[in-house]
Amino acid sequence: MVSPARPVAHLTARGGARWIAGHPWIFRSDVRLPPGIATGDIALVHDVEGRLLGQACVSLASQITLRRLTLDERPVDKAFFRARIADAAALRQALFPGEASYRVIHGDADGLPGLVVDRYGDWLSVQFLTPAMDRRRELLVGLLVEQFNCKGIMNRSDASVRTLEGLPIEKGVIHGDVPDPVVMREGRLEIALSLEHGQKTGGFLDQRENHLMAGRYAHGRALDCFSYVGGFALQMARKATQVTAVDSSAQACERISANAERNGLGNVAVACENVFEFLRAAVDAGERYDIIVLDPPAFARNKASLAAGLRGYKELNLRAMQLLSPGGYLVTASCSHHVGEQAFEDMLRAAAADAGRDAQVLERRGAGRDHPVLLALSETRYLKCHVLRMVQP
């Protein structure tokens, strides 16, 4: 039996150079596609001279037309996906022995572009963000159940990036049962969150290791801004004398209080307020804190909003620096990949100057180790997290 011909995508010279340099994304202007190719196909990739470069997932609606899958022409079948999932799982098990809450598959960084899988104990939360992964969801769900023997899987394919791929927004249970809330362990604490209604896939696993880090610095009066379900606040409460968690969402505030009670932490106060307004009022009142965490949403979701986003980040950090006691710590983050590391640090330097404070950089961190970064794909290093110390005047 003759196997059907496989579609071949031909790269331009510029596209070929990009591929050879290691970047896994090829844009629409750098590829010629054959007639009849469909979105979600997996195509062979050739350079301008017809030499095989590998295979890629095809997306006809996106500016990112090809996403690299392999550097050869091996069969992309059930065994292929089983091996990729097993490899990603083995890495996390090696990094976090005995733990059961972490990102299992981080898209391109794990060789599965457009597939995101987060593990919360016995449950998985999955995003199918590209046509190739969406088209193979039944296969992938079966392999995930096989690998993790999970009790349930939540489909959180409600990220706005799906619209750029020509895919509908979707959300709901696609395997087994998923309780609400799900309880995950983070260090010595139990955190309850909703996989269906929570942000992202339910929680912020990319900050999990930073939550634990902030707990080690915590002392005295602590302030956690944009607290969500209390990831930073609860870890700090184990050492701080008093913690204030601020979030504008009433649902999030209820969850913070419930999580504090679940862990027997009676020193957590919750303020259901706009963070900017809270910080301005605290500065006016002459409040002082020994550690402050700023973990805001992405203020710069595209290049057009970068300048406004940096102004927002600067105001937050300026206010926080004004509120910190001498020797106090600022744990400050940005999840906007359009805000590069240098731009983030420049913003912090300007905020410190306007606040009249000198600051020491103690740590430059990012997402946890379960969110590996591809050297050739800077977009996988989206999270910046700095730990600063306010120098004694």
Side-chain angles (χ1 to χ4, degrees):
M1 178 178 178
V2 178
S3 60
R6 300 167 68 188
V8 178
H10 289 89
L11 303 188
T12 65
R14 184 173 64 176
R18 183 179 177 86
W19 182 286
I20 294 298
H23 202 291
W25 295 352
I26 300 298
F27 295 99
R28 185 180 300 168
S29 58
D30 291 327
V31 60
R32 290 187 293 107
L33 299 176
I37 196 169
T39 195
D41 280 353
I42 293 172
L44 297 172
V45 179
H46 289 186
D47 66 11
V48 290
E49 297 180 5
R51 292 173 298 201
L52 176 74
L53 298 177
Q55 298 177 82
C57 303
V58 178
S59 177
L60 299 182
S62 174
Q63 287 291 333
I64 306 171
T65 301
L66 300 181
R67 287 177 168 84
R68 189 182 68 211
L69 194 62
T70 75
L71 293 174
D72 54 29
E73 55 180 333
R74 80 188 79 169
V76 179
D77 52 14
K78 185 175 184 178
F80 170 87
F81 287 105
R82 178 186 283 119
R84 287 277 165 104
I85 290 170
D87 182 65
L91 172 63
R92 276 62 175 191
Q93 290 160 6
L95 292 174
F96 311 109
E99 298 185 36
S101 294
Y102 40 70
R103 174 152 294 183
V104 175
I105 297 173
H106 191 42
D108 296 90
D110 284 302
L112 292 167
L115 181 65
V116 172
V117 182
D118 285 343
R119 182 181 182 187
Y120 298 90
D122 291 325
W123 296 274
L124 302 180
S125 190
V126 181
Q127 293 178 318
F128 304 97
L129 301 178
T130 56
M133 297 301 142
D134 192 69
R135 206 164 92 180
R136 294 162 178 80
R137 71 166 65 185
E138 185 175 346
L139 167 65
L140 294 169
V141 166
L143 291 173
L144 290 170
V145 172
E146 175 187 297
Q147 176 69 46
F148 298 102
N149 192 28
C150 52
K151 294 180 179 178
I153 299 178
M154 179 66 68
N155 179 14
R156 284 302 304 266
S157 297
D158 55 344
S160 60
V161 69
R162 272 178 63 96
T163 62
L164 302 177
E165 300 287 339
L167 299 171
I169 298 298
E170 297 180 354
K171 181 168 67 171
V173 177
I174 54 175
H175 170 75
D177 296 308
V178 180
D180 193 358
V182 160
V183 178
M184 62 171 277
R185 289 203 64 84
E186 193 168 84
R188 298 184 180 181
L189 301 180
E190 292 185 346
I191 310 292
L193 41 77
S194 173
L195 299 193
E196 182 173 10
H197 303 294
Q199 297 184 37
K200 297 181 76 172
T201 64
F204 289 87
L205 292 179
D206 53 357
Q207 289 281 30
R208 188 172 58 92
E209 291 187 274
N210 293 329
H211 293 162
L212 300 173
M213 170 274 297
R216 294 192 291 271
Y217 283 100
H219 67 289
R221 293 188 74 202
L223 176 63
D224 177 23
C225 298
F226 307 96
S227 191
Y228 185 43
V229 295
F232 281 107
L234 300 177
Q235 294 295 342
M236 292 194 295
R238 298 182 62 244
K239 290 180 64 177
T241 55
Q242 195 269 335
V243 178
T244 300
V246 187
D247 201 286
S248 61
S249 165
Q251 186 178 28
C253 291
E254 291 175 5
R255 190 74 76 188
I256 298 165
S257 296
N259 281 329
E261 184 177 355
R262 171 185 290 274
N263 290 281
L265 298 170
N267 59 339
V268 178
V270 180
C272 195
E273 299 182 34
N274 177 281
V275 169
F276 285 92
E277 294 175 1
F278 179 94
L279 291 176
R280 292 185 198 117
V283 170
D284 291 343
E287 298 284 358
R288 286 291 179 268
Y289 295 92
D290 299 296
I291 180 170
I292 297 176
V293 173
L294 300 175
D295 185 23
F299 288 165
R301 296 186 180 276
N302 50 53
K303 291 182 179 179
S305 61
L306 179 57
L310 285 169
R311 287 194 296 271
Y313 287 125
K314 182 182 176 183
E315 180 178 349
L316 282 178
N317 284 276
L318 168 62
R319 301 296 183 190
M321 291 175 184
Q322 291 173 327
L323 288 168
L324 280 164
S325 302
Y329 299 109
L330 175 61
V331 179
T332 181
S334 166
C335 61
S336 300
H337 85 261
H338 290 285
V339 177
E341 293 182 39
Q342 189 60 56
F344 184 63
E345 195 152 311
D346 289 344
M347 175 276 298
L348 291 174
R349 187 181 304 111
D354 286 358
R357 306 296 301 266
D358 285 329
Q360 299 166 322
V361 180
L362 302 185
E363 297 190 49
R364 293 179 176 91
R365 301 171 64 96
R369 292 167 293 163
D370 53 344
H371 291 61
V373 173
L374 282 182
L375 279 176
L377 185 60
S378 62
E379 289 83 354
T380 53
R381 184 165 173 76
Y382 63 96
L383 181 66
K384 282 74 58 179
C385 182
H386 278 35
V387 181
L388 307 181
R389 178 178 177 270
M390 299 300 110
V391 178
Q392 294 277 359

